[in-house]
Amino acid sequence: MKKQISLLALLCATSGVYAESAPKNVIYMIGDGMGPAYTTAYRYFKDDPATKEIEGTVFDTILKGMAHTYPDDHTYVTDSAAGATALSSGHKSYNGAIAVDTDKKSVKTMLEIAKERSMTTALIATSQINHATPASFAAHNESRNNYDDIANDYIDNKIVGKLPVDLMLGGGTQYFIRDDRNLVDEFKAAGYQYGDDIKNLGQITKIPAIGLYAPKGLPFALDENPTRLTQLTSKALNLLDDQNKNGFFVMIEGSQIDWCGHANDIACAMAEMDDFAKSIEQAKAYVDKNKDTILVITADHSTGGLTLGAHGQYKWETDVVKGVKATAGKLTQLLLDADDLKPVWTANTNIEFTTENQIKLEQAKKMGEKALNLAVKSIISDASFTGWTTGGHTAVDVQVFAYGKGSEQFIGSQNNTDIADKLIGFIEK
């Protein structure tokens, strides 16, 4: 499939709209797996039950349109790699592709274009920083699973003689410090500061820098640090603002919304949504102080087939979701290690430890970790009337949010490639 360019993007480019309204800075935020049901669920999750009105969230204040997510593959359902390639370059590709087209030839990304124009570039994620979405902005590979090669690209893929990414914050030490190659030492030799403790973000004081805070992805928000992406976002924007002669491009990913969706873990997903929403509020506040900045937020796809209301009942119980204090994975481990399940269950949920639930958990525990994990999630989903249709992705359109200079160009129904085309048009101003 050839690259598709929207009529709106073409008209804007030929009429000089980009030249007149192009922002200096681009903040691009991607909620991995964050389909419309997630932002709706988050609104109800955050609602104050003491008031009759259902309060809006930051998402409601900046909603602009919808985007189509299909890949250039034999399916309508995209994966994160093809989705991110479309969002980074304006090119549709096959599932698994990291900034390459269907012929496996490299396609130029907006981060690379920004670097060519001497803008400061940054990638922030709660996954490993060489995971599919961030990778599709700064690397080129036929497979998202080639993690070591993708990490190598971050230092080998020179653009106008420079490293592609000036600031990287996320996880992934096992891919950057390997027996065959220590990329962290290479980054240090290239003048990068390095930090490895998210509790001490002060280790990094200037750009260029790389911060790797977990072997792979960071711990889930619900299990350990509920605002780790918010903290990384704040740190990144402060650093970028300090070094902003020629403008900056930053991609910030709420990576683990997707991981919770794959797990069909609603409490996990809402904790990730909360961290992502607070990160958006940080970015929105930056735009308020810097009017020459555009903030665009979207998703690569939706995950899990999340529905609010299940089993023929017209309700979705947010109190149940709010009462869960650990991810299903962590709760499963706690139950596996416990002789008495009731204290663990009641300490981590507000769901009654009924005889039925006791029997279900005890029988599942005898069958092993996988069965127990499924039982935990089943009880939570049933009690909250949360529905799931899959452990994979779905093909539904996703929402597009925008704020700041040029945000009006993202109104309406559009292809995911249109989002990239418009942002590239800004960068190429």
Side-chain angles (χ1 to χ4, degrees), residues 3 35 57 65 69 105 114 125 134 149-150 200 213-214 247 259 280 282 304 312 317 338 377 389 419:
K3 178 181 177 182
T57 68
T69 63
K105 294 181 180 178
D149 290 339
I150 290 167
N200 186 14
Y213 303 115
W259 298 5
I280 293 170
Q282 290 274 348
E317 300 291 354
K377 291 185 293 191
T389 65
I419 302 171

Side-chain angles (χ1 to χ4, degrees), residues 401-420:
F401 310 87
Y403 185 70
K405 193 171 187 179
S407 60
E408 70 283 350
Q409 294 194 30
F410 297 87
I411 294 171
S413 180
Q414 59 212 289
N415 221 315
N416 54 6
T417 52
D418 295 335
I419 302 171

Side-chain angles (χ1 to χ4, degrees), residues 171-394:
T173 49
Q174 75 173 51
Y175 304 108
F176 287 78
I177 302 175
R178 315 188 306 257
D179 291 339
D180 66 318
R181 190 173 181 184
N182 188 322
L183 296 178
V184 168
D185 283 348
E186 293 183 39
F187 275 109
K188 288 179 178 178
Y192 281 61
Q193 289 189 341
Y194 175 61
D196 58 6
D197 184 357
I198 197 170
K199 294 178 181 177
N200 186 14
L201 287 175
Q203 287 177 311
I204 294 177
T205 59
K206 62 181 180 179
I207 293 174
I210 178 170
L212 301 174
Y213 303 115
K216 289 185 178 181
L218 303 183
F220 285 109
L222 188 59
D223 287 340
E224 189 165 311
N225 182 349
T227 60
R228 77 270 202 249
L229 182 61
T230 310
Q231 293 167 23
L232 294 180
T233 298
S234 178
K235 181 67 174 180
L237 292 175
N238 285 335
L239 290 169
L240 291 165
D241 193 54
D242 288 341
Q243 185 174 317
N244 193 24
K245 179 181 178 181
N246 298 312
F248 64 77
F249 169 84
V250 58
M251 192 288 295
I252 302 169
E253 185 192 29
S255 318
Q256 297 184 30
I257 300 167
D258 174 68
W259 298 5
C260 300
H262 279 295
N264 290 177
D265 187 342
I266 187 59
C268 176
M270 289 301 97
E272 295 300 327
M273 286 293 297
D274 194 50
D275 194 11
F276 191 55
K278 289 172 180 174
S279 300
I280 293 170
E281 289 169 353
Q282 290 274 348
K284 193 166 177 277
Y286 183 88
V287 175
D288 286 335
K289 294 179 180 178
N290 299 270
K291 302 298 184 182
D292 55 356
T293 304
I294 177 74
L295 166 64
V296 174
I297 305 130
T298 192
D300 46 0
H301 53 74
S302 191
T303 302
L306 171 63
T307 57
L308 313 180
H311 314 302
Q313 299 296 308
Y314 288 24
K315 54 185 173 181
W316 190 58
E317 300 291 354
T318 57
D319 284 347
V320 172
V321 181
K322 293 175 185 177
V324 178
K325 305 303 181 186
T327 61
K330 181 177 180 179
L331 183 50
T332 297
Q333 291 300 319
L334 292 171
L335 291 168
L336 282 171
D337 294 339
D339 295 326
D340 186 355
L341 303 188
K342 184 175 181 179
V344 174
W345 183 260
T346 55
N348 289 281
T349 81
N350 63 1
I351 301 170
E352 186 179 356
F353 193 73
T354 62
T355 300
E356 179 183 359
N357 287 340
Q358 180 180 357
I359 293 172
K360 188 172 186 176
L361 292 169
E362 288 177 346
Q363 289 181 342
K365 183 175 179 178
K366 292 176 183 178
M367 297 169 65
E369 180 178 350
K370 184 175 180 180
L372 182 56
N373 182 258
L374 289 172
V376 167
K377 291 185 293 191
S378 174
I379 292 172
I380 294 170
S381 290
D382 287 349
S384 59
F385 296 93
T386 300
W388 303 93
T389 65
T390 179
H393 298 172
T394 64

Side-chain angles (χ1 to χ4, degrees), residues 3-26 89-90 110 117 292 294 296 405-411 414-429:
K3 178 181 177 182
Q4 299 180 14
I5 301 177
S6 72
L7 178 60
L8 175 60
L10 181 61
L11 288 172
C12 288
T14 57
S15 65
V17 171
Y18 285 133
E20 294 176 4
S21 63
K24 179 182 179 182
N25 310 309
V26 176
S89 70
M110 65 181 69
R117 281 152 179 78
D292 55 356
I294 177 74
V296 174
K405 193 171 187 179
S407 60
E408 70 283 350
Q409 294 194 30
F410 297 87
I411 294 171
Q414 59 212 289
N415 221 315
N416 54 6
T417 52
D418 295 335
I419 302 171
D421 287 338
K422 295 167 191 176
L423 289 176
I424 289 171
F426 290 149
I427 293 168
E428 290 181 331
K429 60 187 181 294

